[in-house]
Amino acid sequence: FGRAAESLGRAQALNEELGEAARAQEMARWQGFLYLVGARRERGGGGGRGRTTASSRLTLALRHYDRALSPPAEGSASAAMEECAAACRLDLATFYLSSSGAGAGATAAAGTAGGGHRARLESGLTHARAGLSLLQGRPVASGGGDADDSLVASLRRDLADAAERLLRELIRATAVAGNSSRAETLKEEYRALLSSRTDPKSR
């Protein structure tokens, strides 16, 4: 783990020195992903020490993702960098969804678990929304599109899948908490998302 993080850090620093912004962003993303995996593994191990290590690794992961998501110099954002940013958002949305313990049991426990469960779902949904926004309006060729088209289509699909799951869980958790107004707002967003996925013109 430590050697992988060190190698990625050196690669990022080298690309920054060479002015390779897209490559440096990619290295920052992979460092963040590495620490997210580590945080998930430590959290799953249980115990006070595991939770402390997980929290430390999550802090480092978010620091690297913040760097990968920081706005590039004016006018220098390439399509590849936007796609990398969307992939970062997908990583984080997926992490918060899994760490919320999403599912019927988690939803049933949400009423007694305080706001932590809902806060993680809200964080994940924020990232999924941001990722979809980055790809909004990007053309995707049907049929014989190139690799970039395929990547955009895959990212868009996976982000929409994550947003759907996060919205479903958040609607349930919010209803359990008794916030009917917020639940209705989320239901409207959920319906709009489902509609957009069946209407090619809205992509």
Side-chain angles (χ1 to χ4, degrees):
F1 184 95
R3 288 182 179 178
E6 186 178 340
S7 295
L8 287 168
R10 286 199 298 266
Q12 179 183 340
L14 177 60
N15 280 289
E16 287 174 348
E17 288 179 12
L18 295 173
E20 297 287 347
R23 289 290 295 165
Q25 179 195 33
E26 186 180 356
M27 293 302 101
R29 181 215 168 184
W30 285 118
Q31 286 180 87
F33 185 78
L34 179 66
Y35 281 107
L36 275 191
V37 171
R40 187 182 294 116
R41 183 178 62 191
E42 292 295 338
R43 182 173 292 171
R49 183 176 180 179
R51 286 193 294 272
T52 299
T53 304
S55 178
S56 174
R57 288 186 175 176
L58 178 58
T59 297
L60 289 170
L62 295 178
R63 188 175 300 163
H64 288 299
Y65 276 112
D66 282 345
R67 195 163 187 175
L69 291 166
S70 61
E74 187 71 25
S76 67
S78 64
M81 293 183 74
E82 288 183 348
E83 289 158 13
C84 183
C88 289
R89 297 293 186 180
L90 177 60
D91 293 343
L92 291 165
T94 303
F95 173 79
Y96 282 115
L97 178 62
S98 64
S99 68
S100 72
T107 301
T112 58
H117 175 72
R118 296 191 303 279
R120 286 187 288 275
L121 291 170
E122 290 278 10
S123 293
L125 182 57
T126 295
H127 286 294
R129 286 174 181 144
L132 286 169
S133 178
L134 278 168
L135 301 178
Q136 189 173 13
R138 287 285 298 274
V140 177
S142 58
D146 60 23
D148 289 342
D149 291 330
S150 178
L151 175 60
V152 171
S154 177
L155 282 170
R156 185 178 288 153
R157 181 185 62 249
D158 291 346
L159 283 161
D161 286 345
E164 276 191 31
R165 291 187 61 197
L166 286 156
L167 280 165
R168 284 198 301 268
E169 294 296 332
L170 195 50
I171 288 166
R172 294 190 189 108
T174 304
V176 168
N179 191 341
S180 58
S181 176
R182 174 64 175 152
E184 279 303 315
T185 299
L186 292 167
K187 286 178 184 178
E188 290 179 9
E189 182 177 352
Y190 183 69
R191 287 191 288 267
L193 177 61
L194 292 180
S195 177
S196 71
R197 300 195 74 179
T198 58
D199 180 7
K201 294 180 180 178
S202 64
R203 297 177 186 178

